[in-house]
Amino acid sequence: MLADSRMTQIDRSAPVLVTGGAGFIASWIVRYLLEDGFVVRATVRNPTDEQRLTHLKELGQKYPGKLQLFAADLLQAGAFQEAMQGCQLVMHTASPFMITGIKDAQKQLVEPAVQGTREVLEEANRCVSVRRVVLTSSIVAIMGDGADAAQVDGGVFNETHWNFSSSLKRQPYAFSKKLAEEEAWKIARQQQRWDLVVVNPAFVLGPALSGRAESVSINFIRSMTNGEYRPGCPDLTMSIVDVRDVARAHILAGLIPSASGRHILAADTVPMIELARQLSAHYGRRFPLPTRVLPKFMLYLIGPFFGLSWDYISRNVGAPYSFDASYSKKDLGLEYRPIQQTLVDAVEQALSAGQV
Ligand code: NAP
C-alpha cells in the first residue's frame, strides 16, 4: 500500500481549490464543500461559457462570496497559480475522460492528463500554503483490462495493483490515468510540505448537477434507457460507484488528517446485465432495457459498431474480476449507496433534464 503516516491538519477557513470544477464529479465536490461552509475556488476552461456553468453560477448565488471561478487549462504553464494562492487543500479532478472518438491519444488524453497533473503539483510545490493534494485517479490506473485480471490472484484488485496492459493504442484513457497517477506520486515523494492522497473511483454513475450531456457517465445511462442495448448486453463486468459517494470521498480524503495512499472507490462489481435488471425492477417496461446477454460470437460481429474492438472483446468479454474497496471504508469511513439507488437517481435526473 502506498501510504505515509503523517497527520495533516487543514485549516477550514482557507479556500479549497477544485480543478475542473464544472465536471460531473467535481460539481458535487464543489456543492458539498459549500454546504460544509468552505470557500471554494473552482477552475474551469472557459468561465464565460454560461450554459456549461449554469449550475455553478446557481451555487454561487446560493452561497454568496463563497465560490470563485478561475480560468485554467491543463496545458497552459502557470494556469493554476492565481487560483491556488492561500489554499491548503487542492483537489485535482480535471482530466479528459473519453473512451470513443479518440484520434490522437497522446494529444487528446496523455498530454493533458500527465502535463496537467505536473502543472498542478508543481504549482503546489511553489505555493507555500498547500498542505494536501487529493488526486482523482481511477480504477483504470489499477486495472486496464482482462489481461491484468489474469495476473491477479482470484481477479480481485486492491490498491497495490497497477495497470500493466494499457498503452497509447490499447485503452488509451486508462493509460493516461495510470501515467498521471504515477507522475503525481513521483512529484509528491520529492518534497515534504504537502502530502498526496489518491482516490481511484470505479465507473461513476448517479445524478448530474449540470445539464451537460456530454459526460461518459451520463451517456451510459442514456444508452441503457434509449434502447441501444435492447438486442442484448455484452457479457462485461462493471464496477460502479455513486457520484455523491465519490465527491464525499474526495472531501474525507482531503480533511481526515491521517488519510493516506490510494483508495479504490467501488460500491459493487456486477455483470452489465445486472444494471438493466435493477432498472427493470424499478421501472418495469418503461424503457427498452436489455433483457439478455449477447453471445460472444455476436459481439465480434456487432461490437465494432459500439466501439468495442475484437481485441477488447477477446480479452474482456466473460472475464470476471472485482475490486476490494475495503481500504476506502477503513481509511475514509466511507459507506456506499446501493447501486439501484444510484441508477434510479441517475435516470430521474436525466429525465428531468430531458436527456432520456
Ligand atoms: P467530466 O465531467 O468530463 O469532467 C472532466 C473535467 O476535466 C471537466 O471539468 C473538464 O473541464 C476538465 N478538463 C478536461 N480537459 C481539460 C483541459 N485541457 N484543461 C482543463 N480542464 C480540462 O468527467 P468526470 O467523470 O467528472 O471526470 C472527472 C475526473 O474523474 C477525471 O479525472 C476522470 O478521469 C476521473 N474519473 C471519472 C470516472 C467516471 O466514471 N466518470 C471514473 C474514475 C475517474 P471543462 O469543464 O472545462 O470541460
Side-chain angles (χ1 to χ4, degrees):
M1 197 90 43
L2 289 161
D4 68 30
S5 54
R6 86 171 83 182
M7 300 288 277
T8 301
Q9 294 286 351
I10 299 297
D11 174 358
R12 297 178 73 101
S13 66
V16 178
L17 174 61
V18 182
T19 71
F24 174 53
I25 296 172
S27 299
W28 278 102
I29 300 175
V30 169
R31 175 173 157 173
Y32 285 156
L33 284 169
L34 291 169
E35 284 174 4
D36 291 350
F38 287 91
V39 170
V40 182
R41 304 220 181 125
T43 68
V44 295
R45 265 182 288 189
N46 180 4
T48 60
D49 187 341
E50 293 289 331
Q51 214 189 344
R52 284 165 80 96
L53 301 177
T54 312
H55 62 298
L56 289 188
K57 300 253 156 125
E58 283 168 7
L59 281 173
Q61 282 159 11
K62 194 168 172 197
Y63 298 93
K66 295 277 191 177
L67 175 61
Q68 298 161 304
L69 300 187
F70 291 79
D73 191 294
L74 291 168
L75 293 168
Q76 193 193 327
F80 297 90
Q81 185 187 11
E82 192 191 348
M84 207 181 285
Q85 291 309 308
C87 294
Q88 295 197 354
L89 179 56
V90 172
M91 309 228 184
H92 178 39
T93 82
S95 200
F97 180 24
M98 50 198 303
I99 45 178
T100 53
I102 300 158
K103 293 196 177 78
D104 183 340
Q106 177 66 24
K107 283 222 152 3
Q108 290 172 275
L109 287 164
V110 172
E111 280 174 20
V114 177
Q115 211 171 304
T117 298
R118 208 176 288 138
E119 200 57 57
V120 171
L121 298 194
E122 284 175 356
E123 197 59 60
N125 280 343
R126 289 186 288 271
C127 184
V128 292
S129 56
V130 175
R131 295 283 171 274
R132 176 167 287 177
V133 178
V134 177
L135 173 77
T136 318
S137 184
S138 169
I139 54 164
V140 300
I142 289 172
M143 176 206 165
D145 66 25
D148 289 316
Q151 309 297 318
V152 168
D153 238 6
V156 182
F157 287 84
N158 61 37
E159 287 85 356
T160 64
H161 295 116
W162 283 87
N163 168 354
F164 288 111
S165 63
S166 297
S167 65
L168 273 180
K169 290 213 162 75
R170 183 169 150 173
Q171 318 293 358
Y173 166 68
F175 189 51
S176 76
K177 295 303 286 180
K178 167 205 151 112
L179 293 182
E181 192 191 326
E182 281 177 342
E183 185 68 13
W185 283 116
K186 191 174 109 198
I187 297 172
R189 289 191 178 115
Q190 286 164 354
Q191 56 75 55
Q192 296 294 322
R193 175 168 37 78
W194 52 270
D195 61 355
L196 178 69
V197 182
V198 172
V199 291
N200 302 77
F203 189 38
V204 184
L205 294 174
L209 286 179
S210 81
R212 282 168 61 163
E214 77 268 34
S215 143
V216 174
S217 298
I218 297 166
N219 273 332
F220 176 77
I221 289 293
R222 210 164 28 191
S223 311
M224 265 292 194
T225 47
N226 74 5
E228 214 169 286
Y229 294 103
R230 186 71 185 102
C233 291
D235 183 11
L236 288 174
T237 303
M238 295 186 77
S239 276
I240 307 291
V241 63
D242 191 291
V243 66
R244 295 158 290 188
D245 295 338
V246 173
R248 202 39 91 192
H250 279 77
I251 295 171
L252 292 165
L255 296 179
I256 293 176
S258 59
S260 65
R262 311 172 88 193
H263 302 80
I264 288 172
L265 306 179
D268 210 348
T269 302
V270 293
M272 190 171 164
I273 191 72
E274 179 58 22
L275 304 181
R277 283 194 197 113
Q278 302 239 0
L279 283 170
S280 303
H282 185 84
Y283 289 109
R285 294 176 168 212
R286 181 166 172 192
F287 301 111
L289 293 162
T291 52
R292 65 187 189 115
V293 174
L294 282 181
K296 201 164 179 172
F297 78 89
M298 280 283 285
L299 214 55
Y300 280 114
L301 293 176
I302 65 166
F305 296 105
F306 292 91
L308 301 177
S309 69
W310 283 4
D311 195 28
Y312 181 86
I313 293 166
S314 86
R315 279 195 310 265
N316 293 281
V317 171
Y321 63 84
S322 65
F323 290 89
D324 176 359
S326 55
Y327 182 62
S328 65
K329 296 178 190 168
K330 181 168 156 263
D331 197 45
L332 305 179
L334 261 190
E335 284 176 25
Y336 291 104
R337 282 172 176 77
I339 59 172
Q340 189 182 40
Q341 188 188 337
T342 301
L343 292 166
V344 169
D345 290 352
V347 171
E348 289 300 313
Q349 184 275 326
L351 280 168
S352 68
Q355 291 162 350
V356 170

